[in-house]
Amino acid sequence: MGRELTPVNRIVGIETEYGCLVADESAQATSDSWPVRIKNQLFKKLQVGAVDLHYRDYEEPPGNGGFLLNGGRLYVDMGHLEYASPECLTLRDLVAYDLAGDIMVQNAVRSMRAEGKVAFIKNNIDHQTGATFGCHENYLMRRDLQFTPQSLGTLLSFLATRQIFTGAGRVGQTNPLSFEFEEPQRSPVDFQISQRADHIVNDIYQWVQFNRAIINARDEPLADQRKYRRLHLLIGDSNMSPYATALKVGTTSLVLTLLEQGHLPNSVVLQDAVVATRDISRQGTGRGLVKLDDGRTRDVLDIQYEFLAIAKKHFAGMDSETEWVLENWEFTLDALGSDPLLLIGGVDWISKRWLLEMFMEAEKLTWQDPWLQSIDLEYHNIDPEKGLFFSLTPSKRICEWNNSVRLPEAVRVPPENTRAAGRGCAVARFLENPNATYLINWDSISVEGETPLAMPDPFETYLEQVNTFLR
């Protein structure tokens, strides 16, 4: 049996695919794409990591990316720049290392003096093509946990309804594919809560690109597979608000612990989690009724309150981070029901909708004006000098959290209490020796002529082992 995974004593990580906006024709005409140029700047000039010397698979040739000094990974995936955070054991670390990707990419843009040529966007949709790109969450879970239809259904209900505080919001809608079960849309959707909702077409599935599911079922723990499994979620939006990221990961971690301990609510399974995900998003208010498997209907907010009540019953007083999650989960649900504007700067879809409505009123626009799509994108610009998210003035509670986790040092320093510490140490050593021939994976390190160093336990730092191995 693996180590006990308590609510914030759980290895977590986030993968972010960045959108890219090119400003002028000369920039578009360059031979290398901007994601490739930024990747090269980071590894070759800024030396934030050790570039891959080997094929990882047929789509990841040598030089396509590499592992970073902070223990994470950056690479180009199907034309997108993608950053994977290092393994994190605390909520504060998780949010800080997620933001480190934004800081890193913007540092590269700034070092190339390209601020007027290109912008990187932390969102999930392309309004012009209808394409989507992901924000994937990863949670370490015990291998001996037995999923049941009831527990999976309850987990799906939580994931479908949590978008009322995790959604990034978007203008309009996308119908990615035609499904026989989907009723024709009677009227256009002006604004919806989630960017990913229109692109989720299954509840649980193994393949990612063309059958996106709420939960990706691929069994790839990147750890000792006898002890652990990795829950890989595709449903989440990329959040500009660190407060929203913390709520997203913190509440999900608590619910996973309820699942592992057998304490999930037993009467909230949705009739169809995929349809509910889309319906909740397109209602655009954070309120509304959804159909349950037993034929009843329930308010989305009430379902979240039920998860909160059970979490408080079992976890209240456990530790400071759990208390923060419980307190701010309740504050957010209360504000959603009474005064959503209290959540400006903390819940992205509310913040974005407020900005859009202020702009529409000032410019006398309707929701159908294409200008709004540009405003939508600029909300997600990771450049603090230009991104509309950074123009918001949140309440003290939200502002203090958002400011406390934006740590520039997280670009080059790994978390000190997970496997990322040893990996980051190895990356630093390889950067000191440009002639080294190495191979880095999430769970191992190899150098030419030596037996690979296995790193199967993500809770172990492996600092001593790495230093001995690379002596």
Side-chain angles (χ1 to χ4, degrees):
M1 180 175 175
R3 174 171 170 164
E4 181 180 358
L5 306 179
T6 55
V8 290
N9 186 24
R10 180 187 300 280
I11 297 292
V12 292
I14 291 181
E15 304 162 52
T16 301
E17 296 178 1
Y18 293 96
C20 180
L21 290 178
V22 179
D24 59 44
E25 292 182 3
S26 61
Q28 293 179 18
T30 55
S31 57
D32 277 344
S33 70
W34 274 103
V36 171
R37 294 177 68 185
I38 293 297
K39 179 261 298 180
N40 289 340
Q41 181 76 359
L42 285 167
F43 284 105
K44 296 179 180 179
K45 299 294 185 182
L46 300 183
Q47 292 201 309
V48 299
V51 72
D52 294 334
L53 303 179
H54 56 282
Y55 274 91
R56 294 184 64 82
D57 64 30
Y58 70 96
E59 291 182 339
E60 287 195 69
N64 186 66
F67 282 93
L68 305 166
L69 286 165
N70 72 3
R73 179 167 173 77
L74 185 135
Y75 53 103
V76 176
D77 181 21
M78 298 186 69
H80 290 285
L81 195 63
E82 181 161 349
Y83 167 76
S85 76
E87 303 95 325
C88 295
L89 191 54
T90 70
L91 189 59
R92 186 171 293 275
D93 273 356
L94 183 280
V95 181
Y97 283 96
D98 174 58
L99 289 172
D102 303 357
I103 296 170
M104 191 181 304
V105 172
Q106 191 57 35
N107 284 349
V109 173
R110 191 177 298 114
S111 70
M112 296 173 71
R113 299 181 179 178
E115 297 98 317
K117 299 178 181 178
V118 66
F120 282 85
I121 308 297
K122 193 177 186 179
N123 79 331
N124 306 107
I125 54 168
D126 183 332
H127 285 292
Q128 301 303 313
T129 66
T132 183
F133 22 103
C135 173
H136 299 172
E137 302 157 59
N138 299 282
Y139 300 86
L140 195 71
M141 299 188 70
R142 298 200 324 259
R143 171 63 67 176
D144 62 357
L145 173 70
Q146 297 298 313
F147 284 100
T148 67
Q150 177 71 26
S151 64
L152 275 174
T154 304
L155 176 59
L156 290 167
S157 296
F158 169 76
L159 295 172
T161 57
R162 71 171 191 172
Q163 65 177 290
I164 63 176
F165 53 82
T166 67
R170 64 158 294 173
V171 174
Q173 69 193 78
T174 299
N175 291 312
L177 295 171
S178 177
F179 294 97
E180 293 181 1
F181 63 78
E182 184 171 16
E183 295 181 2
Q185 190 69 35
R186 291 182 174 83
S187 59
V189 176
D190 294 332
F191 180 89
Q192 57 179 305
I193 288 174
S194 170
Q195 298 204 344
R196 290 285 276 179
D198 282 351
H199 300 272
I200 297 295
V201 298
N202 215 326
D203 49 8
I204 303 170
Y205 200 73
Q206 193 168 13
W207 188 247
V208 175
Q209 289 178 314
F210 305 111
N211 202 327
R212 294 182 185 88
I214 296 172
I215 299 173
N216 176 239
R218 184 175 57 193
D219 189 4
E220 188 182 16
L222 303 177
D224 188 338
Q225 63 181 358
R226 299 167 301 176
K227 298 179 179 179
Y228 302 115
R229 69 173 77 238
R230 177 170 60 109
L231 183 70
H232 189 58
L233 302 182
L234 309 184
I235 191 175
D237 290 358
S238 295
N239 292 110
M240 288 301 295
S241 170
Y243 186 85
T245 301
L247 282 177
K248 175 171 66 180
V249 174
T251 59
T252 303
S253 293
L254 291 179
V255 169
L256 292 178
T257 305
L258 290 175
L259 189 158
E260 289 172 331
Q261 296 179 355
H263 297 312
L264 286 176
N266 55 19
S267 58
V268 295
V269 177
L270 295 168
Q271 185 180 90
D272 188 318
V274 174
V275 171
T277 296
R278 194 172 304 135
D279 288 347
I280 294 165
S281 180
R282 292 184 176 187
Q283 286 165 2
T285 63
R287 301 299 302 270
L289 299 177
V290 289
K291 296 179 181 178
L292 301 185
D293 197 40
D294 60 10
R296 294 179 299 135
T297 58
R298 285 193 67 179
D299 186 276
V300 176
L301 195 58
D302 290 342
I303 291 175
Q304 278 292 317
Y305 269 122
E306 183 164 348
F307 280 103
L308 170 64
I310 296 175
K312 288 174 67 175
K313 176 181 177 182
H314 292 281
F315 305 136
M318 178 172 288
D319 56 61
S320 59
E321 280 208 330
T322 302
E323 282 299 297
W324 187 94
V325 174
L326 293 171
E327 178 184 335
N328 285 279
W329 192 358
E330 184 166 26
F331 166 76
T332 299
L333 297 183
D334 289 348
L336 282 165
S338 60
D339 187 0
L341 294 186
L342 291 173
L343 299 171
I344 286 177
V347 173
D348 283 307
W349 73 266
I350 291 172
S351 306
K352 181 187 288 182
R353 182 163 192 152
W354 178 76
L355 284 171
L356 288 167
E357 289 177 342
M358 294 283 287
F359 184 74
M360 289 165 62
E361 182 178 357
E363 299 292 335
K364 304 295 188 292
L365 303 177
T366 69
W367 281 108
Q368 283 66 50
D369 196 299
W371 201 351
L372 297 186
Q373 293 182 357
S374 297
I375 302 298
D376 187 338
L377 289 177
E378 280 303 317
Y379 179 88
H380 298 273
N381 191 330
I382 63 172
D383 184 350
E385 300 297 319
K386 298 180 179 179
L388 294 181
F389 167 77
F390 299 99
S391 70
L392 298 168
T393 304
S395 66
K396 181 180 178 183
R397 167 198 298 264
I398 294 170
C399 184
E400 286 181 349
W401 172 267
N402 287 352
N403 291 337
S404 73
V405 291
R406 192 171 291 276
L407 305 176
E409 59 268 28
V411 169
R412 292 181 177 270
V413 179
E416 61 183 15
N417 53 1
T418 72
R419 182 173 59 187
R423 186 184 308 112
C425 175
V427 169
R429 296 283 292 275
F430 294 142
L431 286 175
E432 292 170 358
N433 181 8
N435 296 318
T437 301
Y438 55 81
L439 189 156
I440 309 173
N441 281 308
W442 289 103
D443 56 0
S444 67
I445 295 170
S446 304
V447 293
E448 190 174 30
E450 299 289 340
T451 302
L453 172 64
M455 302 166 68
D457 185 356
F459 292 98
E460 170 64 54
T461 67
Y462 290 99
L463 282 169
E464 182 178 347
Q465 294 93 321
V466 168
N467 281 315
T468 299
F469 182 69
L470 298 179
R471 220 169 19 192

